[in-house]
Amino acid sequence: IYPNLELKQRSGKLGLASAYLGAFREVLEAHPNLRAIITMDADLSHDPAVVETMLEKLDAHDLIVGSRYIPEGGTHGWELWRRALSRGGNIYTRIVTGSPVRALTGGFNCYSAELLRRYDLDNVRSEGYGFQIEMKIIAHGLGARIHETPIIFRNRTVEESKMSNSIIKEGILLPWRCSPIARLLRRLKQAIG
């Protein structure tokens, strides 16, 4: 029914980041004239109607982020604790990393293929949901033109949230690994030998 749809099956749970990175590599290699790659949840938490808006913004931007944290954006169906944890986590990450992006943890993103080809995908170190943060911080470091477009994130109606202690721990530690201080220390270590 959908000739352009391809399902990738993996041997088991290998982590969110490895799924994204594997797909990025495969699609970029298979389609040299590709304009963009859009990432989104397949459970309709992300409204597919926003894809058109993202593609319209692609001429002037390298990364379009679907944002719950700008005017006209928001969440629907989230408990107060989850809204507070998400907003607080994004503020915390922005402070530690110096990133201007308000929705660092969001997964509804449109990357220009040109931008993705500038990443060193082999050096993306996050394994879980912190991947979303790291990819945006790398984009900022590459000088990407980043735009946030408002979305309403709707809570899933099937299954439960995958929020866990390990996800929260990664969200606390990852920003420090991506911070300007950590990048400076890595450069000094390389320079010293």
Side-chain angles (χ1 to χ4, degrees):
I1 296 176
Y2 300 102
N4 294 328
L5 181 64
E6 187 175 336
L7 176 65
K8 293 291 178 190
Q9 292 186 304
R10 300 182 348 130
S11 59
K13 286 196 164 209
L14 305 172
L16 180 78
S18 70
Y20 275 110
L21 292 169
F24 287 163
R25 286 186 188 99
E26 201 170 306
V27 171
L28 289 169
E29 185 176 325
H31 303 280
N33 297 321
L34 184 73
R35 185 172 177 225
I37 293 179
I38 296 176
T39 64
M40 63 189 297
D41 291 357
D43 62 3
L44 298 180
S45 294
H46 294 140
D47 183 356
V50 178
V51 168
E52 185 177 353
T53 302
M54 290 179 155
L55 292 174
E56 287 170 359
K57 306 239 179 250
L58 198 57
D59 288 335
H61 302 92
D62 304 302
L63 171 59
I64 298 92
V65 176
S67 180
R68 305 174 297 246
Y69 302 120
I70 61 173
E72 298 180 36
T75 60
H76 178 66
W78 277 16
E79 303 87 352
L80 178 60
W81 70 266
R82 188 170 177 202
R83 287 196 314 265
L85 183 64
S86 178
R87 186 174 289 275
N90 275 282
I91 291 169
Y92 163 80
T93 303
R94 287 180 68 208
I95 289 168
V96 172
T97 63
S99 174
V101 179
R102 293 180 182 271
L104 286 162
T105 59
F108 196 1
N109 305 295
C110 177
Y111 295 90
S112 74
E114 181 184 331
L115 173 62
L116 280 175
R117 288 188 172 101
R118 292 169 52 204
Y119 278 78
D120 181 355
L121 295 177
D122 293 332
N123 279 325
V124 175
R125 298 168 47 194
S126 304
E127 295 178 7
Y129 286 88
F131 168 81
Q132 303 293 359
I133 298 170
E134 187 173 0
M135 289 294 286
K136 292 176 184 85
I137 290 170
I138 292 171
H140 182 246
L142 289 170
R145 299 165 301 161
I146 302 173
H147 174 78
E148 291 184 83
T149 197
I151 64 165
I152 302 296
F153 185 94
R154 301 198 177 279
N155 204 17
R156 68 186 69 211
T157 55
V158 180
E159 298 183 6
E160 291 184 19
S161 170
K162 295 178 175 65
M163 187 63 63
S164 68
N165 288 339
S166 64
I167 290 171
I168 294 170
K169 180 181 176 184
E170 182 180 40
I172 292 169
L173 298 178
L174 175 72
W176 290 103
R177 283 201 336 248
C178 297
S179 71
I181 295 168
R183 289 194 299 270
L184 177 62
L185 291 174
R186 281 194 292 275
R187 283 192 213 116
L188 285 172
K189 185 177 178 184
Q190 290 172 347
I192 294 169

